[in-house]
Amino acid sequence: MEQLELNKLELTKYLFFTGKGGVGKTSVACGAAVSLADLGYQVLLISTDPASNLQDVFETELTNKGVVIDAVKNLTVANLDPVKAAAEYRESVTAPYRGKLPDSVIKNMEEQLSGSCTVEIAAFNEFSRFITDEKLQREYHYIIFDTAPTGHTLRLLKLPSAWSDFISENTHGASCLGQLSGLEDQKDIYKKAVATLADKNQTTLILVARPERTPLAEAARAANELADIGVTNQIMVINGILPYWDDKVSESIYIKQQKALANIPDGIRNLKTYTIPLRAYNITGIEKVRAFLTRDDINTVNTKINTPIIPKLKDIIDDLYNSDKKVIFTMGKGGVGKTSIAASIALGLAGKGKKVHLTTTDPAAHLKFVLEETDGITMSHIDEKEVLRKYQEEVLRKARETMSEEDMAYVEEDLRSPCTQEIAVFRAFADIVEKAEDQIVVIDTAPTGHTLLLLDSTQNYNQEIKRSQGDIPESAKKLLPRLRNSKETEVIIITLAETTPVYEAMRLEEDLKRAEIAAKWWVINASLYKSGTTNNLLSAKAGNEVTWINTVAEHSNGKFVVIGWNTEEVRGDKLLSAV
């Protein structure tokens, strides 16, 4: 691996950056855009990231049309808002049916068009015009996209059945895409855009990851998905590599990173890979963006946390115990430490004499957090791949009874969507909760509010809308009302003290509110600020966490916990005693 130097690469006109939230896609894309513009190339940078902070990065008010950056000759930046675009698309699809169909059906249609896949379709709709505009092709040497579409979305757009009327006639219960017919007039543009993406002479896909197991696994999944549909011109950028260590915290991070790098998944092991060292500063302001790919400036930020007394995990456990909660979810994006927090909560409640069942979808969780039966904890592990496979088979079996082969192609693709996996796993969780009526059930992940609303629609509007989907088990039906009962259920949101994880956690909370599910406590995990590190680089990073700790403190009305980075692989009992 070598450090990323753009002037040494042979780059295509279109550069797509993709990767898991929080890995630094925007920082890398901005650094690349400024570096290429400084080399004398005309560059257009476009963001379709819902959590985009491009306006902060360039300290300039941006639009979806493109704004010339005064401080960077040759650079134009456009900031698309896919959430707003999705809302406009949702209204354009449902508006013709208002007053003609029952309100419950309209509500169901709106929910089917509220998922992450619909946001991605709307984003693709927005940036398709940038890919296919011949004037822009002549005007710019490079057109850079911060966030690429997934293979799932691209495959679906290529299916003739995705554009047919069967979707509106035979509403697909688990669909997170709903109708595409509202974008029928864009079909030819989409076709050209997808073809451009697959043309290795025009497009390069840059997979961005951190030197950690989960982001690298996500990069491998994205690489394989996109390669399957012909997007094979790929390179890899691993961002945030710690160059040295000089205390216990930095040593543990260094060792963890090197272990992840030594075990890069097979799907991306052979890609040309470049690295970017961990930077001490936040990537905001032109000078920081210019420095990002070339040098570090270590300046410790002397910011203080506004909250004089920060609660501890013990306070959350006491609150759960005193309020007699029955079902507890830890929720958040992958890699934020949901499983370790769930295990700690289970241990704490068991220590107070409660019988606890801890269930997880983490394949390694039963190895890391096995606790003795005398602890009062039973455990189970849900195999996501297996429950998804069974659910897909059930749905396809029912769909084949009424659908044509062309329509089946749509259903098969839709069954690869994030919502489908959430529904399959949720059903498995529901079965476990049903069996554990006499215990507290702690679950280390959960479906989004969008998926829960889809399940609720399937349950309530079954007589009004013909479903091609599998029947919802009684256990799932009983769990939905329970989740809305704040006396029984608690959702704890887990995040990191960084820009994207906090924004994503807030969107998750909004999603849950739509489903009438309240989240009270927040946990900021793996905090360098709380770790006590003396490493100069990590101390500067720790100072930059304070802004986000204060943001969460205010947002949660003080109902938050900060857990420091642990210098060893912790078990539940050690984590509990450490905080």
Side-chain angles (χ1 to χ4, degrees):
M1 295 183 196
E2 57 189 272
Q3 191 163 332
L4 182 64
E5 294 182 63
L6 290 174
N7 59 334
K8 294 182 179 179
L9 303 184
E10 292 183 14
L11 297 172
T12 54
K13 177 177 283 289
Y14 299 104
L15 304 174
F16 280 84
F17 289 83
T18 189
K20 194 175 181 63
V23 297
K25 285 191 303 293
T26 298
S27 297
V28 180
C30 291
V34 170
S35 296
L36 290 170
D38 285 345
L39 289 170
Y41 297 106
Q42 289 291 333
V43 179
L44 174 61
L45 171 63
I46 304 155
S47 175
T48 59
D49 188 343
S52 174
N53 60 335
L54 274 192
Q55 303 206 131
D56 296 330
V57 171
F58 289 105
E59 299 173 325
T60 303
E61 193 71 26
L62 301 173
T63 70
N64 64 345
K65 305 296 183 187
V67 172
V68 175
I69 305 299
D70 294 335
V72 186
K73 188 180 179 182
N74 307 323
L75 178 61
T76 301
V77 179
N79 196 19
L80 309 182
D81 185 346
V83 174
K84 182 181 177 184
E88 291 171 354
Y89 169 49
R90 184 164 57 248
E91 181 57 27
S92 72
V93 172
T94 55
Y97 298 100
R98 294 189 190 282
K100 298 177 182 178
L101 294 176
D103 289 345
S104 57
V105 176
I106 299 298
K107 184 178 179 181
N108 183 67
M109 287 175 66
E110 289 176 336
E111 189 51 51
Q112 291 208 34
L113 290 161
S114 295
S116 59
C117 292
T118 304
V119 172
E120 194 176 320
I121 287 285
F124 192 74
N125 181 50
E126 288 283 293
F127 69 54
S128 288
R129 59 191 171 93
F130 288 97
I131 308 175
T132 56
D133 190 314
E134 293 181 1
K135 181 176 178 290
L136 292 178
Q137 291 173 19
R138 292 191 298 269
E139 191 174 340
Y140 294 100
H141 294 101
Y142 295 106
I143 299 178
I144 298 174
F145 294 91
D146 167 25
T147 300
T150 64
H152 166 60
T153 295
L154 293 174
R155 281 192 307 267
L156 188 128
L157 289 169
K158 292 170 75 173
L159 289 172
S161 55
W163 304 90
S164 72
D165 290 336
F166 99 91
I167 303 167
S168 57
E169 294 169 0
N170 207 354
T171 307
H172 191 32
S175 174
C176 60
L177 287 161
Q179 293 169 283
L180 282 170
S181 56
L183 297 173
E184 179 70 34
D185 58 342
Q186 298 287 87
K187 193 173 179 181
D188 290 339
I189 293 176
Y190 283 4
K191 188 175 180 180
K192 185 176 179 182
V194 172
T196 301
L197 270 167
D199 185 345
K200 65 180 181 181
N201 296 314
Q202 294 191 74
T203 298
T204 304
L205 185 79
I206 297 112
L207 297 150
V208 184
R210 286 191 184 274
E212 299 166 15
R213 180 179 64 85
T214 303
L216 286 168
E218 175 71 12
R221 186 197 63 75
N224 292 333
E225 258 203 349
L226 290 160
D228 285 345
I229 57 166
V231 185
T232 56
N233 190 14
Q234 304 177 357
I235 64 173
M236 179 97 169
V237 173
I238 301 179
N239 178 37
I241 295 179
L242 184 65
Y244 64 91
W245 60 269
D246 56 11
D247 73 345
K248 197 170 183 182
V249 175
S250 57
E251 180 186 17
S252 70
I253 292 174
Y254 183 87
I255 291 171
K256 186 176 181 180
Q257 288 190 351
Q258 293 302 313
K259 183 178 178 181
L261 293 173
N263 293 283
I264 289 177
D266 291 338
I268 52 177
R269 183 178 292 278
N270 296 325
L271 289 180
K272 186 66 178 173
T273 301
Y274 302 91
T275 63
I276 301 173
L278 183 67
R279 301 303 187 194
Y281 49 81
N282 286 333
I283 316 302
T284 55
I286 299 300
E287 290 313 306
K288 290 290 195 293
V289 177
R290 277 203 170 99
F292 181 58
L293 299 184
T294 57
R295 69 181 192 277
D296 209 344
D297 298 311
I298 300 178
N299 294 309
T300 303
V301 180
N302 294 314
T303 310
K304 290 187 177 180
I305 290 177
N306 296 334
T307 308
I309 300 175
I310 299 176
K312 296 182 179 294
L313 191 60
K314 177 182 177 296
D315 295 311
I316 295 181
I317 293 166
D318 287 345
D319 186 44
L320 294 170
Y321 176 80
N322 293 331
S323 58
D324 199 26
K325 292 296 187 292
K326 301 297 184 187
V327 181
I328 299 161
F329 286 98
T330 55
M331 294 184 68
K333 294 293 182 181
V336 298
K338 294 188 297 291
T339 303
S340 60
I341 303 299
S344 301
I345 289 170
L347 186 78
L349 290 170
K352 290 176 173 291
K354 293 286 188 179
K355 289 178 64 180
V356 182
H357 184 80
L358 173 63
T359 187
T360 177
T361 58
D362 185 340
H366 59 292
L367 300 175
K368 290 179 183 176
F369 303 114
V370 169
L371 303 171
E372 297 293 332
E373 290 294 328
T374 52
D375 290 329
I377 298 174
T378 56
M379 296 186 66
S380 60
H381 166 240
I382 293 171
D383 187 328
E384 286 186 290
K385 290 182 179 178
E386 180 61 19
V387 296
L388 176 61
R389 183 188 64 78
K390 288 182 178 177
Y391 182 66
Q392 288 170 329
E393 287 177 355
E394 176 189 336
V395 173
L396 289 172
R397 186 175 64 252
K398 290 198 73 175
R400 286 193 183 98
E401 295 173 4
T402 58
M403 288 188 178
S404 67
E405 283 304 310
E406 183 180 75
D407 289 349
M408 283 299 299
Y410 177 90
V411 177
E412 287 169 358
E413 184 52 52
D414 194 46
L415 283 170
R416 304 191 200 195
S417 74
C419 292
T420 301
Q421 181 155 325
E422 286 185 3
I423 286 173
V425 171
F426 182 70
R427 285 159 53 119
F429 279 144
D431 290 341
I432 288 171
V433 173
E434 182 83 351
K435 295 174 184 176
E437 289 285 340
D438 61 338
Q439 302 178 63
I440 297 174
V441 181
V442 181
I443 300 171
D444 91 321
T445 192
T448 63
H450 167 62
T451 300
L452 293 172
L453 284 168
L454 282 180
L455 281 168
D456 200 26
S457 296
T458 304
Q459 176 186 341
N460 292 340
Y461 309 137
N462 194 48
Q463 298 305 312
E464 296 174 71
I465 302 168
K466 279 192 172 182
R467 301 287 176 187
S468 60
Q469 201 59 293
D471 296 328
I472 303 300
E474 281 300 315
S475 57
K477 291 180 183 180
K478 290 169 68 174
L479 186 51
L480 284 165
R482 175 177 271 171
L483 285 174
R484 289 192 170 115
N485 183 354
S486 60
K487 291 182 179 179
E488 280 192 89
T489 298
E490 186 84 58
V491 173
I492 297 162
I493 293 178
I494 319 296
T495 188
L496 304 176
E498 298 174 16
T499 310
T500 302
V502 170
Y503 282 147
E504 288 183 337
M506 287 180 176
R507 284 205 305 277
L508 172 63
E509 186 183 52
E510 284 301 312
D511 208 15
L512 290 170
K513 282 180 181 176
R514 284 193 303 113
E516 301 174 34
I517 297 170
K520 178 179 178 181
W521 286 95
W522 283 55
V523 175
I524 297 172
N525 198 24
S527 168
L528 290 171
Y529 179 88
K530 195 80 181 289
S531 71
T533 180
T534 57
N535 177 277
N536 280 348
L537 195 156
L538 296 183
S539 293
K541 291 286 288 180
N544 286 319
E545 288 185 354
V546 173
T547 297
W548 299 108
I549 294 173
N550 285 333
T551 298
V552 170
E554 183 178 356
H555 180 80
S556 65
N557 295 315
K559 296 295 184 182
F560 76 107
V561 169
V562 182
I563 296 175
W565 175 276
N566 285 281
T567 57
E568 55 188 275
E569 201 74 64
V570 293
R571 289 175 174 268
D573 53 348
K574 289 184 181 178
L575 181 57
L576 192 58
S577 61
V579 296

